[in-house]
């Protein structure tokens, strides 16, 4: 399993949360890594509406997810403003926050985040990394992981693999 410093927070972008919701495993998400799972207030307010917003509010109330407000963090605000000119608001907020707080970014939007994270020494996890970790911790079996992927894909989201086995082959 991918090892990350357990003292670092995992800052979750909208796409990972949406994938876990579409994969019918949203409440499993906080159990996969021992790190504190966090969502930035800007991401939560800008992206989530309806039923998914209610589910995230439950995670917040149950302390499975922590909301972070960076509105008084000048360095993050400046970087966020710069990044928003090139990337989506969610990725921009998460990357800016992780740059200055040395936390882990959870996002599957590799097209936007990969090079920035490499350039700034930011560790990142994708939905597939979370799913593989859930498999390795025996929270889900391979069939459940494949069903998760099927649900995410059939509900209009993108993932780079159609099975967990395909993902595992690519990282070994």
């Amino acid at each position: 399993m991918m090892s990350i410093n357990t003292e670092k927070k995992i800052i979750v972008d909208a796409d990972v949360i949406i994938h876990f919701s579409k994969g019918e495993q949203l409440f499993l998400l906080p159990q996969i890594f021992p790190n504190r799972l966090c969502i930035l207030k800007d991401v939560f307010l800008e992206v989530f509406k309806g039923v998914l917003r209610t589910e995230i509010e439950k995670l917040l109330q149950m302390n499975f997810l922590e909301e972070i407000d960076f509105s008084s963090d000048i360095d993050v605000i400046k970087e966020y403003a710069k990044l928003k000119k090139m990337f989506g608001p969610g990725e921009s907020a998460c990357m800016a926050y992780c740059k200055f707080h040395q936390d882990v970014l959870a996002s599957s939007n590799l097209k936007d985040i990969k090079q920035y994270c490499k350039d700034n020494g930011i560790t990142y996890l994708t939905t597939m990394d979370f799913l593989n970790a859930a498999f390795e911790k025996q929270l889900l079996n391979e069939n459940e992981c494949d069903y998760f992927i099927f649900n995410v894909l059939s509900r209009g989201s993108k993932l780079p693999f159609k099975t967990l086995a395909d993902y595992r082959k690519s990282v070994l």
Side-chain angles (χ1 to χ4, degrees):
M1 176 173 15
M2 176 179 279
S3 96
I4 57 173
N5 182 339
T6 57
E7 293 175 19
K8 293 185 177 196
K9 293 184 262 248
I10 298 176
I11 308 302
V12 186
D13 192 16
D15 61 342
V16 173
I17 292 173
I18 291 167
H19 290 158
F20 270 82
S21 178
K22 288 181 177 182
E24 301 176 1
Q25 295 293 341
L26 184 60
F27 287 87
L28 179 69
L29 190 58
Q31 299 173 48
I32 299 172
F33 288 99
N35 305 61
R36 190 77 186 129
L37 209 57
C38 302
I39 186 169
L40 298 177
K41 185 175 183 176
D42 288 45
V43 172
F44 177 64
L45 294 175
E46 284 184 40
V47 177
F48 297 108
K49 312 280 184 250
V51 174
L52 187 51
R53 184 182 193 108
T54 303
E55 289 178 342
I56 294 169
E57 287 171 344
K58 284 181 193 171
L59 288 171
L60 290 166
Q61 290 167 354
M62 296 164 60
N63 290 319
F64 290 155
L65 187 62
E66 177 185 329
E67 187 176 52
I68 295 176
D69 181 358
F70 64 83
S71 63
S72 62
D73 191 328
I74 299 304
D75 291 330
V76 174
I77 292 168
K78 286 179 187 176
E79 187 74 4
Y80 177 44
K82 182 177 92 176
L83 291 173
K84 271 198 330 186
K85 295 174 184 172
M86 299 176 284
F87 307 111
E91 290 84 10
S92 297
C94 292
M95 290 188 297
Y97 185 86
C98 288
K99 177 180 179 175
F100 291 100
H101 293 272
Q102 293 76 49
D103 286 318
V104 176
L105 172 60
S107 175
S108 288
N109 191 345
L110 294 179
K111 178 177 67 77
D112 286 352
I113 70 152
K114 192 173 185 176
Q115 190 59 52
Y116 183 88
C117 288
K118 182 180 176 188
D119 293 346
N120 291 282
I122 299 169
T123 301
Y124 63 87
L125 300 167
T126 66
T127 297
M128 294 303 299
D129 295 325
F130 274 90
L131 193 59
N132 186 60
F135 171 74
E136 290 182 358
K137 286 182 76 175
Q138 299 180 343
L139 298 171
L140 295 173
N141 64 38
E142 188 171 356
N143 287 336
E144 291 168 324
C145 290
D146 289 346
Y147 185 64
F148 171 100
I149 294 167
F150 170 80
N151 281 333
V152 171
L153 295 173
S154 67
R155 293 174 178 159
S157 286
K158 295 178 184 176
L159 289 174
F161 301 95
K162 292 192 173 152
T163 67
L164 180 66
D166 289 342
Y167 168 78
R168 291 174 64 82
K169 283 180 206 166
S170 79
V171 295
L172 295 178

